[in-house]
């Protein structure tokens, strides 16, 4: 018997399945109609019972007896629930056991009745252990909303559905008995053989020595033969591979370094997850040339060099960021690539691929550059005051001590440069603690007006020396979320810079206002300002717009860098632009403070004043 004939027998089975589906549809439709009718009847009974309960006097005392009496008249289980969700009466529970029942306020039908006036539900009762239909109605009384609930066991529905199901099944069996009988005869042989092949296939998952060895010349026999051939092939493959593939894959998955393997044509054959994450290489990169995916001529040259020379090579390359929307590295990367030839015996004699291992040194090179720049800048900043102190001391030791007027001048020079060295070392230590996370900030709600006045008060003396005017424009009650010491240091640095770098008689203004959940702080002067080409770099360490002038005023070149780190540590940002009068306008935005933290703000401000003193 061929497979086509066997499929005809299978079609008969499909017909049986269709009959069963029809049976289920009829029973479900009938059940839905009976259920709707029963729910409507139960809702009507609930309304009548609720009217009877509404006439009760002391419902809490009468509830047990009232529930039992109304249950007989309503033909259903009656439950009375007080406003707190406790069951006060239940026709299926003895009065002395009511206290053992759990809170019913969370029952679906009860919750719906409390909110909507009526509710319904269907589930297995935790009390009676039977499937029940529930209908609930809210009864508003002086002591609060009571719930009248009726429960009905849908036995009649189940009986009707059982009878309908039985009749449909009988009719279906009668109509399909002949077809099923014929299908059974035809499918029995096919079913047994397919079940046997299924058992063999399942056994092969754990024992590849198992074989089907099916006799015959039909499609099932061909399937059994193919299954045996597949098992033989798997045994040979397992013997040859010996688990090497799994171990190799596990190593690639676990490596933090990126790995790229090319085939004999120079196309990508494999990339590991680390390389995909590092350079944004997608899965569809396999089969494409590396230069097309990574767009690096240096990498292309390295792979060609290794492939031709068949010798390892190392090179540091730069991968530029990809164009917007294109697949590729997310940003500029500096990579050290170790490449080596890879023999591919399966591809033919002499075929060579390349395996390249990528080490990301972008951050390492950036840190090295920062260290070099920092050392160079710090050395340069320290050299001038040290040289001045040394020259002055040598002059004094060389005979200037005998000249009181000259010796005083040299001592003053030594004092000024020692003070500058002291400030420079303190700023370096402060910046180091901030960048290293050693300085812990404790942001809290502060009254910015008080904080601003306290910071300005310390600088009014310096302003008077230059005949400059300090103006504070902050609305009382402006609250800011910040660390008091850090905020004071930021304001002091910005105001002190404004005083230093403006001519005598200038005006420096400190203003603040709340806007969109943030506090915007501005320090503006009417001095010469900062040219646009320098504005983006003034927050770098040791960067000066006018180096000579800054050193003459005693600046260290670290104040704005410290201010930037402190502002960012307080979840804010800082920038500089040109002011309305052409001077410099420094703008700081910080989170707005919570009005309920006023007392805590006063305490923190008091502590800050004590520390300042």
């Amino acid at each position: 018997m061929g497979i086509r004939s066997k499929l005809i027998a299978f079609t008969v089975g499909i017909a049986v399945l269709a009959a069963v589906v029809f049976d289920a549809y009829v029973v479900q439709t009938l059940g839905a109609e009976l259920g709707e009718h029963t729910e409507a009847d139960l809702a009507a009974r609930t309304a009548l019972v609720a009217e009877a309960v509404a006439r009760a006097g002391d419902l809490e005392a009468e509830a047990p007896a009232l529930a039992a009496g109304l249950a007989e008249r309503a033909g259903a289980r009656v439950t009375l629930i007080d406003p707190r969700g406790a069951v006060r009466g239940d026709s299926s529970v003895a009065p002395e056991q009511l206290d053992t029942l759990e809170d019913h306020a969370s029952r679906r039908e009860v919750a719906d009745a409390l909110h909507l006036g009526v509710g319904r539900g269907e589930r297995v009762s935790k009390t009676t252990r039977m499937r029940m239909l529930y209908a609930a109605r809210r009864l508003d009384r002086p002591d609060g909303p009571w719930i009248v609930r009726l429960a009905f066991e849908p036995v009649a529905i189940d009986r009707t559905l059982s009878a309908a199901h039985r009749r449909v099944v009988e009719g279906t069996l009668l109509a399909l008995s002949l077809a099923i009988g014929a299908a059974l005869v035809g499918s029995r042989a096919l079913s047994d053989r397919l079940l046997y092949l299924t058992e063999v296939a399942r056994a092969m998952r754990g024992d590849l020595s198992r074989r089907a060895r099916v006799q015959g010349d039909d499609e099932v026999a061909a399937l059994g033969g193919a299954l045996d051939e597949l098992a033989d092939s798997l045994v040979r493959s397992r013997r040859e591979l010996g688990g090497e593939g799994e171990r190799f894959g596990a190593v690639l998955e676990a490596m933090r370094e990126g790995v790229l393997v090319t085939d004999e044509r120079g196309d990508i054959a494999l990339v590991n997850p680390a390389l995909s994450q590092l350079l944004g290489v997608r899965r569809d990169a396999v089969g494409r040339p590396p230069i097309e995916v990574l767009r690096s001529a240096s990498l292309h040259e390295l792979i060609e060099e290794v492939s031709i020379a068949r010798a390892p090579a190392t090179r540091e390359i730069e991968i530029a960021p990809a164009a917007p929307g294109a697949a590729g590295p997310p940003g500029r990367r500096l990579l050290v690539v170790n490449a080596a030839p890879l023999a591919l015996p399966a591809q033919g004699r002499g075929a060579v691929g390349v395996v390249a291992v990528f080490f990301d040194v972008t951050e390492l090179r950036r840190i090295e550059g920062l260290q070099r720049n920092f050392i160079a800048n710090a050395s340069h900043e320290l050299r001038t005051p040290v040289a001045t102190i040394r020259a002055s001391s040598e002059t004094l030791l060389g005979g200037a001590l005998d000249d009181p007027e000259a010796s005083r001048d040299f001592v003053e020079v030594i004092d000024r440069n020692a003070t500058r060295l002291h400030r420079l070392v303190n700023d370096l230590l402060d910046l180091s603690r901030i960048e290293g996370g050693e300085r812990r900030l404790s942001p809290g709600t502060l009254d910015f007006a008080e904080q601003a006045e306290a910071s300005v008060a310390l600088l009014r003396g310096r302003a008077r020396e230059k005949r400059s005017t300090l103006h504070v424009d902050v609305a009382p009650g402006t609250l800011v979320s910040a660390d008091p010491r850090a905020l004071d240091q930021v304001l002091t640095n910005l105001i002190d810079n404004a005083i230093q770098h403006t001519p005598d008689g200038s005006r420096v203004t400190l203003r603040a206002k709340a806007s969109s959940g943030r506090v915007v702080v501005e320090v503006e002067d009417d001095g010469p300002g900062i040219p646009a080409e320098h504005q983006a770099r003034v927050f770098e360490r040791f960067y000066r717009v006018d180096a000579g002038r800054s050193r003459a005023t005693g600046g260290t070149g670290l104040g704005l860098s410290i201010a930037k780190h402190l502002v960012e540590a307080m979840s804010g940002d800082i920038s500089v632009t040109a002011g309305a009068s052409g001077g410099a306008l420094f703008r700081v935005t910080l989170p707005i403070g919570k009005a309920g933290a006023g007392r805590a703000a006063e305490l923190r401000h008091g502590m800050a004043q004590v520390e300042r003193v």
Side-chain angles (χ1 to χ4, degrees), residues 550-589:
S550 296
R551 292 191 180 93
T553 56
T556 64
L558 295 173
L560 291 179
S561 180
I562 292 173
K564 179 179 175 65
H565 282 81
L566 290 175
V567 169
E568 290 177 348
M570 294 186 290
S571 302
D573 58 77
I574 183 171
S575 61
V576 60
T577 58
S581 60
L585 172 61
F586 284 86
R587 181 176 290 110
V588 176
T589 63

Side-chain angles (χ1 to χ4, degrees), residues 21-31 161 164 168:
V21 172
F22 173 75
D23 171 35
Y25 173 77
V26 171
V27 172
Q28 183 178 5
T29 304
L30 181 59
L161 291 176
V168 173

Side-chain angles (χ1 to χ4, degrees), residues 252 254-260 272-275 278 356-360:
L252 286 179
M255 287 183 65
R256 298 181 60 184
E257 295 78 15
V259 176
L260 182 145
N272 71 335
L275 184 63
L278 176 64
V357 181
F358 294 74
F359 300 87
D360 188 359

